[in-house]
Amino acid sequence: MTFKQMLITILLCSGATVLTRLVPFAAFSTRKKLPSFLDYLGKALPSAVFGMLVVYCLKDVNFLSVSDTLPEIIAIAAVIGLHLWKRSMMLSMVGGTIVYMLLLHFAIF
Amino acid sequence: MPAFRYAFSASLPVLTGYLSLGIAYGIYARAEGVSVWLPTLMALVIYGGSLEFVTITMLLSPFAPVQAFAMALVIQARHLFYGISMLKKYKGAGWKKAFLIYWLSDETFAVAFSVHPPSPIDKYWVYFFISMLDYIYWASGATLGSIAGSILPAVPDGLSFIMTAMFLVIFLDQWLKEKKHYTALIGILCAVFCRFLFSSNTFMLPSMGLILVLLSAFRKPIEKEGGFAS
C-alpha cells in the first residue's frame, strides 16, 4: 500500500465510525424515530461481528498443517479458560498471548 | 471544577483499561511493522480500539477501500445502539454535543450511561469530561505502546495473537451475556463458510453480505426470541 492509500484507508475507517456515532442523533432530530431496522442491527450485529472477527484473525492459519494449527487451538483454549476463570480482559489476552509465544518459541510442534 | 473532579473519578476504571489496551495496541502495531506515529494518528481520528487493530491488518494488505469502509461500518454498528440509548441524556448539551458524539466509545457509553451527578454539578460538563478523558487515555496508551514497541530490542514471535485473543474475549463476554446465540453463530458460520469459498484477502465482503442477508431474513424470529446482550 502506498502512503496515500494508507491515509485513505484510515480516513474511510474514521468516516464510517463517525457515521455510526452520528446517525442516531441526526436521524432523531429530523424524523423523530430511528428506522427500526437500524435499531435491530445495533443490537444484532455485535455478537455476529465479533464472531466474524475471530475468524478473520485466523484467516491465514493453514488448518491442514498440525504444526500451524495446534498452537492456535491451545492458545485459544487458554484464553477461554482464563476468561471463564477470572473474567479479566487483560489477563485473558496477555496470558493467552504468552502461551502462544512460548509454544512458538520452544517449537514444541 | 466539581464537574471535572466528578468526571475524573468516574473515568478511573477506564484509565487502567484504556491505557493497558492502548499500550498493547501500540506495541502490536509496531511489531506488525507500521510507522511509529500511525497508532497515535489512528487513535485520534478513528478512536475505536477493535477497528484500529483490524485497520493495522488492512494497512498491511492490498488496498481495498470498499472492504475497509464496509468492515468499519459493521464493526462500529454497535454505536447505533449507544447513540439511541444516549439520545435523551445528551439532549440539550449544546456545542458539547458534537464532542459527545465524536467521543462516544464503548467505555464512555458504559460510564456516561450509568453516572447520575448530584444537582449542583452540570451533567453536560460531566459527560464532556468523561468523554474527553477516555479519549486522552486511549491516545496516550497507543502512543506509549508505539514508543515502547520501538525501544524494545526485538518483539518475540507470536505477539500478533493478541488481536485474536482480544476479539475472542469480547466475543466471549457477548456470548456469556446473551440468552440466545443465533447472531453469534451466524457471524462465525458465515465467515468460516466464506473463507472456504474465497481467499483470505477477499472473503470479508461476502461474509458481511451473507451476515446481513441472514440477519434480515431471520429478523422476525431473532427479534421475537430476543436474548440480545444488554
Side-chain angles (χ1 to χ4, degrees), chain B residues 1-145:
Chain B
M1 200 169 174
F4 184 82
R5 272 203 303 271
Y6 187 91
F8 179 65
S9 60
S11 76
L12 279 177
V14 185
L15 171 65
T16 46
Y18 270 13
L19 267 188
S20 45
L21 190 61
I23 289 172
Y25 158 65
I27 295 176
Y28 165 79
R30 288 297 286 151
E32 292 290 291
V34 304
S35 312
V36 65
W37 50 273
L38 266 178
T40 311
L41 176 80
M42 283 165 46
L44 293 174
V45 304
I46 299 176
Y47 187 44
S50 320
L51 176 58
E52 287 171 47
F53 270 90
V54 173
T55 309
I56 299 284
T57 311
M58 296 198 292
L59 290 179
L60 300 166
S61 311
F63 185 52
V66 176
Q67 180 186 290
F69 190 72
M71 279 193 72
L73 273 185
V74 300
I75 293 173
Q76 304 293 46
R78 62 188 192 283
H79 291 113
L80 292 170
F81 171 74
Y82 301 158
I84 296 160
S85 310
M86 296 310 281
L87 275 173
K88 279 200 191 114
K89 285 185 183 262
Y90 285 177
K91 200 176 181 182
W95 62 268
K96 295 184 203 77
K97 201 167 171 181
F99 291 93
L100 296 179
I101 292 171
Y102 184 70
W103 287 334
L104 187 56
S105 67
D106 303 78
E107 305 297 316
T108 299
F109 164 71
V111 174
F113 187 75
S114 55
V115 293
H116 299 283
S119 63
I121 300 178
D122 181 350
K123 62 175 181 171
Y124 299 120
W125 277 112
V126 170
Y127 297 145
F128 180 83
F129 286 131
I130 288 173
S131 309
M132 182 187 77
L133 285 167
D134 289 354
Y135 184 62
I136 294 172
Y137 300 154
W138 175 252
S140 310
T143 308
L144 286 175

Side-chain angles (χ1 to χ4, degrees), chain A residues 18 21 25-26 28-30 34 41-42 51-52 58-59 65 89 91 94 97-99:
Chain A
V18 169
R21 286 176 177 154
F25 295 92
F28 189 77
S29 52
T30 55
L34 199 78
L41 280 187
M52 175 191 83
L58 302 173
K59 67 187 168 79
S65 142
M89 184 180 189
L91 177 77
V94 174
T97 305
I98 290 173
V99 167

Side-chain angles (χ1 to χ4, degrees), chain A residues 1 3-26 28 32 34 36-61 71-72 75-77 79-81 83-84 87-90 92-94 96-97 100-101 104-105, chain B residues 20-21 37-38 42 45-47 50-51 54-55 57-59 61 63 65 68-69 72-81 83-84 87 90 97 101-102 104-105 156-159 161-174 176 178 183-184 187-188 191-192 195 200 203-204 208 211 215-216 219 222-223 228:
Chain A
M1 235 191 239
F3 179 69
K4 203 174 151 193
Q5 290 172 332
M6 282 191 169
L7 284 186
I8 292 172
T9 303
I10 291 173
L11 286 177
L12 284 171
C13 291
S14 169
T17 303
V18 169
L19 210 60
T20 60
R21 286 176 177 154
L22 185 64
V23 157
F25 295 92
F28 189 77
K32 289 287 173 203
L34 199 78
S36 67
F37 186 64
L38 281 188
D39 189 15
Y40 166 68
L41 280 187
K43 289 192 193 110
L45 271 178
S47 286
V49 165
F50 285 110
M52 175 191 83
L53 288 174
V54 172
V55 178
Y56 176 73
C57 292
L58 302 173
K59 67 187 168 79
D60 292 313
V61 177
E72 309 280 338
I76 284 173
V79 172
I80 295 175
H83 202 63
L84 291 178
R87 299 280 166 95
S88 150
M89 184 180 189
M90 280 316 283
S92 313
M93 280 174 60
V94 174
T97 305
Y100 186 73
M101 284 172 161
L104 289 195
H105 183 74
Chain B
S20 45
L21 190 61
W37 50 273
L38 266 178
M42 283 165 46
V45 304
I46 299 176
Y47 187 44
S50 320
L51 176 58
V54 173
T55 309
T57 311
M58 296 198 292
L59 290 179
S61 311
F63 185 52
F69 190 72
L73 273 185
V74 300
I75 293 173
Q76 304 293 46
R78 62 188 192 283
H79 291 113
L80 292 170
F81 171 74
I84 296 160
L87 275 173
Y90 285 177
K97 201 167 171 181
I101 292 171
Y102 184 70
L104 187 56
S105 67
D157 275 352
L159 184 77
F161 187 80
I162 198 142
M163 180 160 97
T164 314
M166 179 183 72
F167 286 132
L168 191 60
V169 168
I170 299 176
F171 178 74
L172 260 180
D173 278 333
Q174 286 284 130
L176 294 169
E178 63 193 13
T183 59
I188 287 191
V192 169
R195 177 64 188 87
S200 73
F203 81 108
M204 286 308 276
M208 290 182 278
I211 287 172
L215 286 182
S216 313
R219 181 181 169 191
I222 290 174
E223 273 192 323
F228 294 126

